[in-house]
Amino acid sequence: MTKPQPETLVLEADETGGFPNSPLPVLIYRQILDTSAENLAARFEALFARHRWPPQWRYGLYDFDHFHSTAHEALGVFRGLAHVRLGGPDGCKLDIAAGDALVLPAGVGHACLEASDDFTMVGAYPLGQSWEVERGQPGELESICRRVAAVALPDEDPVGGALLSLWRQGAETTEQ
């Protein structure tokens, strides 16, 4: 069985906005699950849990730029669609829809710019990592970058895809 291949996006730090982002790529898995099947939310939860990313919530995406400095995050869209921004206030915009999954490295800013009324996701984090919400404080960027750099790479990709090889390449590039 071949591993699902994601779209990738590398986001530079936004120093003026206080968003560290990451040298590790954001992974965007399009239509990773069939949207015509029953109970897409439970199917995302089972997929993430099987790969040691325990699901922790079902909700939308905050409409303000934020990031997590102590955990990586997997988002599985199980209903609706949204226009989102990744990377902080000056970041990259993209559309996501039911069946898509995003994997955000620690430090990557994200916000919902527009969404359908029914837009909802499952959120999951690697086993042993706990998350918090950071809103980008330029004066705290140095200490936040240290926290982000200390977040361990996960043992598995939350959807069984290419995360390990892609993120190990990103980590090696940073160390050189």
Side-chain angles (χ1 to χ4, degrees):
M1 185 170 148
T2 61
K3 292 183 182 228
Q5 292 301 311
E7 297 171 25
T8 60
L9 179 63
V10 176
L11 300 159
E12 300 292 323
D14 173 2
E15 296 178 15
T16 58
F19 289 83
N21 291 314
S22 178
L24 305 177
V26 171
L27 307 180
I28 306 158
Y29 290 98
R30 299 288 184 183
Q31 298 302 289
I32 195 74
L33 293 180
D34 177 8
T35 59
S36 67
E38 294 287 317
N39 206 344
L40 199 54
R43 291 178 54 230
F44 266 119
E45 289 168 341
L47 178 65
F48 293 161
R50 184 168 56 250
H51 293 286
R52 301 175 43 146
W53 287 61
Q56 295 188 18
W57 51 264
R58 291 181 182 184
Y59 193 66
L61 179 60
Y62 294 138
D63 63 358
F64 57 87
D65 291 289
H66 67 286
F67 63 93
H68 311 291
S69 64
T70 56
H72 306 298
E73 182 173 43
L75 303 171
V77 182
F78 66 87
R79 192 177 304 128
L81 53 103
H83 187 61
V84 301
R85 179 173 51 224
L86 302 177
D90 296 323
C92 176
K93 297 172 185 173
L94 66 128
D95 294 321
I96 55 175
D100 293 348
L102 298 178
V103 185
L104 305 176
V108 170
H110 48 292
C112 183
L113 302 176
E114 232 180 302
S116 61
D117 291 340
D118 61 346
F119 176 70
T120 321
M121 304 182 301
V122 168
Y125 306 85
L127 198 59
Q129 292 185 9
S130 59
W131 58 279
E132 78 315 305
V133 175
E134 304 262 8
R135 293 186 72 156
Q137 301 297 322
E140 297 174 11
L141 188 59
E142 189 176 319
S143 64
I144 287 170
C145 284
R146 282 194 300 273
R147 278 200 309 273
V148 167
V151 177
L153 292 180
D155 294 330
E156 296 186 49
D157 181 298
V159 301
L163 177 145
L164 296 177
S165 62
L166 292 169
W167 280 14
R168 284 186 182 128
Q169 288 172 353
E172 289 169 7
T173 303
T174 317
E175 292 169 1
Q176 295 175 357

